[in-house]
Amino acid sequence: MDSFEINKLVAAVLVVFLVVFGIGKVSDIVFHVEKPNKSAYKVEISTASVTSASSSSQMIDIAALLALGSVDEGKKVWKKCSACHSINEGGKNKIGPALYNVLGRNVGALDDYKYSKALLAYGKSWTFEEMNGFLLKPQSYIKGTKMAFAGLKKEKDRASIILYMNQYSENPLPLP
């Protein structure tokens, strides 16, 4: 290979570099984009979504929540629960405990059902507020519960099922 061929090869490589870098510089001039002062993207997070399930249920006006629901609607929502729970007086435990008289009784109070350690240690009663928080997302409301239900996201569904369960009791809790 003679020197003329080497010169053409070197010139071709230089021209390629000049064209590539030249196109980059020209495109920067044509499509000028101003850089932001901060190199970050700010994500707005509302404080309501950061609160835990137990504290958010205590902040809810339970009377207003229960006003959204109805016993008839609760009967429809109950179909989701009936695979694992019975609600009738004298009903047997299934995968989950029998829920007759559940509102007003202590959490983990049935002697003939094997509750998780988390529910046995919870130490509270099933009030409207507690039931609302638990039904929203059981796994996060009482960590360690073995209830594998995803929860009821709609307020109307939770209110309706609470009203429905409250009527299945010897002494239904008075509505707020």
Side-chain angles (χ1 to χ4, degrees):
M1 188 183 268
D2 62 357
S3 65
F4 185 68
E5 294 291 324
I6 293 175
N7 285 345
K8 285 195 307 186
L9 186 63
V10 170
V13 170
L14 285 174
V15 168
V16 168
F17 279 119
L18 288 174
V19 168
V20 168
F21 288 115
I23 290 174
K25 293 295 180 185
V26 169
S27 66
D28 285 343
I29 293 169
V30 172
F31 303 106
H32 179 68
V33 177
E34 291 185 28
K35 303 269 183 190
N37 293 336
K38 291 183 180 178
S39 176
Y41 183 77
K42 186 175 182 181
V43 177
E44 296 291 331
I45 300 176
S46 67
T47 56
S49 65
V50 176
T51 60
S52 69
S54 60
S55 65
S56 67
S57 69
Q58 293 171 355
M59 294 170 44
I60 290 177
D61 180 9
I62 199 68
L65 178 83
L66 291 177
L68 296 173
S70 71
V71 174
D72 292 335
E73 192 68 29
K75 187 175 184 178
K76 294 175 188 172
V77 177
W78 176 255
K79 291 177 184 173
K80 295 179 183 179
C81 310
S82 64
C84 300
H85 298 280
S86 64
I87 192 77
N88 296 322
E89 184 175 6
K92 303 286 184 203
N93 295 325
K94 295 182 177 182
I95 295 170
L99 296 180
Y100 183 78
N101 267 342
V102 70
L103 287 166
R105 84 175 175 219
N106 291 335
V107 176
L110 292 180
D111 293 331
D112 60 343
Y113 183 77
K114 187 173 180 177
Y115 290 97
S116 64
K117 291 178 184 176
L119 281 175
L120 290 172
Y122 193 62
K124 293 184 180 181
S125 294
W126 286 119
T127 62
F128 293 125
E129 293 85 357
E130 289 293 323
M131 189 61 73
N132 178 57
F134 187 72
L135 289 174
L136 179 62
K137 192 166 185 184
Q139 293 287 334
S140 65
Y141 192 76
I142 300 177
K143 301 232 186 281
T145 183
K146 55 184 182 176
M147 184 167 166
F149 182 61
L152 297 170
K153 303 299 177 225
K154 295 179 184 174
E155 290 179 338
K156 182 179 179 184
D157 288 351
R158 289 193 315 273
S160 296
I161 197 70
I162 290 169
L163 291 171
Y164 182 74
M165 287 191 299
N166 191 44
Q167 80 171 3
Y168 282 91
S169 176
E170 292 169 6
N171 299 312
L173 294 179
L175 298 177

